[in-house]
Amino acid sequence: MTGNRAVVYNKPGSVEIRDTAYPDLILRDGPGVNPLNVGRKCEHGVILKVVTTNICGSDQHMVRGRTTAPSGLILGHEITGEVIEVGRDVEFIRKGDLVSVPFNIACGRCRNCKERHTNVCLNVNPDRPGSAYGYVDMGGWVGGQSEYVMVPYADFQLLKFPDKAQAMEKILDLTMLSDIFPTGYHGAVSAGVRPGSTVYVAGAGPVGLAAAHSAQLLGAAVVIVGDLNAERLAQAKSFGCETVNLREHANLAEQIEQILGTPEVDCAIDCVGFEAHGHGKAHGEAPATVLNSIMEVTRAGGSLGIPGLYVTGDPGAVDEDSKIGTLKIRFGLGWAKSHTFVTGQTPVMKYHRDLMMAILSGRAQIAKAVNATKISLEEAPSAYQEFDRGVSRKFVIDPHGLVK
């Protein structure tokens, strides 16, 4: 095989399908590849035939021009695939295995990986701890919104599905294990959700919906989801969440009080991130809005899970401070209320096996919760446009037509 096709970031607001090189077990030079990673040999890796690969809200930040992503970057960090080639040093993964790929790239050898902090591996990104496929400033590992992709450190990272036929029957659920299901679950766990909890989830995009479903799985008594988008709120309501339309009702605490009888929740989850908007009909971009609002409505002694993405460089930010990730956060309020904050990339490997079993047993219905919608590779550019307009769907690319 010598060819490959992939979704490529072209310029702000534009992605396209391009012919690109078939992957091999080496990280070659290309858009976004860190010079110190060029030529890195990956005999510990595998080549996957991509079965499903999802469009993520994090991809949208790049496509909107809100990062320093270079033109030509192959996108995609949510990957599920079939192993078709194994490197010389791979011992336990075999050709034909159907696997989920954590979006974090992790070596399994460094101190952080050994302590289960695979989200901040020390050996895969020369610029900083932590890496991901097809993402700006993450070392340059090639993205997986493509027909084929190379995955390093296969024995350590890959989650093999125990039965391929069973997995393909539930593939629209299992494809969420690469990122948004563990990310939403991590947000809920970090926020301290437990049986009987009252939970506020900021944002009804796919990660917010995954966090809400995760809170239900963890036994929350009431899950309240807030957003400015009525269609996305309707999706949250479809599986039992209470909702707050923050375009219509600017005062979040008052709306929570109408639902719970008190203006506070036990815990809150930020699934919006740095492109947050203010509340009300005349809202504009205000990147600290969600963090400040969840501190306001979370009880003293509560915890805040923050899986929403925050960056150190945002060329499209509303002010000079925000362009370098400096936000006007009421940290004194959080300190006074003894809040716990948990931030950063989700360590997917900490959760993905348990969540796989929840899917295979029928306990978790994540595809239904996020409205998983299958598309072809050719439909990806239009799906990016629909997603940017706020449609309540989680787009799943099926590059080889393998999904029923």
Side-chain angles (χ1 to χ4, degrees):
M1 296 181 183
T2 57
N4 194 11
R5 296 164 68 244
V7 181
V8 176
Y9 169 64
N10 185 28
K11 61 183 179 180
S14 173
V15 301
E16 60 187 28
I17 308 302
R18 293 185 190 174
D19 292 330
T20 186
Y22 183 81
D24 53 13
L25 298 174
I26 188 170
L27 183 53
R28 301 192 184 280
D29 198 7
V33 179
N34 190 298
L36 297 176
N37 261 351
V38 173
R40 189 164 177 166
K41 296 179 180 179
C42 297
E43 290 293 343
H44 43 64
V46 299
I47 307 298
L48 296 184
K49 179 179 182 179
V50 176
V51 173
T52 54
T53 177
N54 315 327
I55 296 175
C56 181
S58 298
D59 298 321
Q60 286 286 18
H61 295 307
M62 292 186 289
V63 173
R64 291 189 189 113
R66 298 300 297 268
T67 70
T68 56
S71 178
L73 184 73
I74 296 175
L75 300 170
H77 55 271
E78 301 189 11
I79 308 164
T80 305
E82 180 184 3
V83 177
I84 58 174
E85 181 181 338
V86 297
R88 177 194 61 214
D89 299 332
V90 176
E91 188 174 359
F92 304 110
I93 296 294
R94 299 282 185 264
K95 287 183 182 180
D97 288 347
L98 186 61
V99 296
S100 177
V101 183
F103 80 88
N104 326 107
I105 302 171
C107 71
R109 298 155 166 80
C110 70
R111 174 182 177 177
N112 283 352
C113 284
K114 290 177 179 179
E115 293 178 358
R116 301 188 75 193
H117 301 302
T118 54
N119 52 320
V120 281
C121 174
L122 300 174
N123 288 331
V124 290
N125 183 358
D127 285 337
R128 66 184 73 170
S131 189
Y133 303 89
Y135 213 85
V136 60
D137 297 330
M138 290 289 185
W141 299 91
V142 178
Q145 286 176 14
S146 56
E147 294 175 320
Y148 304 94
V149 68
M150 188 270 284
V151 174
Y153 305 106
D155 279 330
F156 177 63
Q157 295 192 104
L158 295 181
L159 175 66
K160 176 184 173 182
F161 300 137
D163 183 281
K164 288 178 70 174
Q166 179 194 30
M168 288 304 296
E169 290 294 326
K170 292 181 175 282
I171 195 66
L172 290 180
D173 292 283
L174 294 170
T175 191
M176 306 303 167
L177 292 174
S178 58
D179 182 355
I180 69 162
F181 197 9
T183 293
Y185 192 82
H186 177 63
V189 169
S190 300
V193 178
R194 59 183 185 271
S197 294
T198 57
V199 185
Y200 175 66
V201 179
V207 170
L209 297 171
H213 185 47
S214 296
Q216 293 172 333
L217 290 173
L218 289 166
V222 182
V223 179
I224 304 169
V225 180
D227 202 290
L228 300 161
N229 182 318
E231 181 182 345
R232 289 182 168 184
L233 289 171
Q235 180 64 25
K237 190 173 289 187
S238 74
F239 59 94
C241 299
E242 300 286 342
T243 61
V244 173
N245 188 325
L246 294 167
R247 186 186 299 274
E248 303 296 330
H249 308 286
N251 191 312
L252 175 59
E254 286 183 0
Q255 298 307 306
I256 288 176
E257 186 169 22
Q258 287 187 16
I259 295 168
L260 297 177
T262 175
E264 290 187 324
V265 291
D266 294 322
C267 42
I269 310 167
D270 171 7
C271 298
V272 177
F274 74 103
E275 286 193 68
H277 282 64
H279 301 162
K281 289 183 175 11
H283 69 86
E285 189 167 316
T289 297
V290 171
L291 293 172
N292 287 330
S293 64
I294 63 176
M295 284 190 282
E296 178 188 355
V297 302
T298 301
R299 69 175 180 85
S303 296
L304 312 177
I306 310 174
L309 177 67
Y310 289 87
V311 296
T312 57
D314 175 9
V318 293
D319 55 54
E320 293 304 311
D321 282 341
S322 299
K323 287 181 179 180
I324 57 171
T326 300
L327 308 182
K328 295 181 179 179
I329 296 171
R330 293 185 64 195
F331 189 73
L333 175 62
W335 188 93
K337 295 178 80 171
S338 295
H339 284 158
T340 298
F341 300 76
V342 180
T343 68
Q345 281 189 34
T346 294
V348 169
M349 293 178 67
K350 189 173 182 179
Y351 307 109
H352 65 174
R353 184 172 297 278
D354 289 346
L355 295 177
M356 175 186 73
M357 296 307 298
I359 289 169
L360 294 178
S361 69
R363 180 81 174 91
Q365 304 288 334
I366 187 65
K368 181 180 178 181
V370 302
N371 195 16
T373 303
K374 184 188 74 165
I375 60 171
S376 67
L377 190 66
E378 290 75 12
E379 293 173 296
S382 61
Y384 266 96
Q385 293 177 352
E386 288 185 58
F387 194 29
D388 192 49
R389 289 193 292 267
V391 66
S392 187
R393 296 182 181 182
K394 175 66 173 178
F395 288 107
V396 178
I397 300 171
D398 174 13
H400 295 280
L402 299 174
V403 179
K404 292 182 181 178

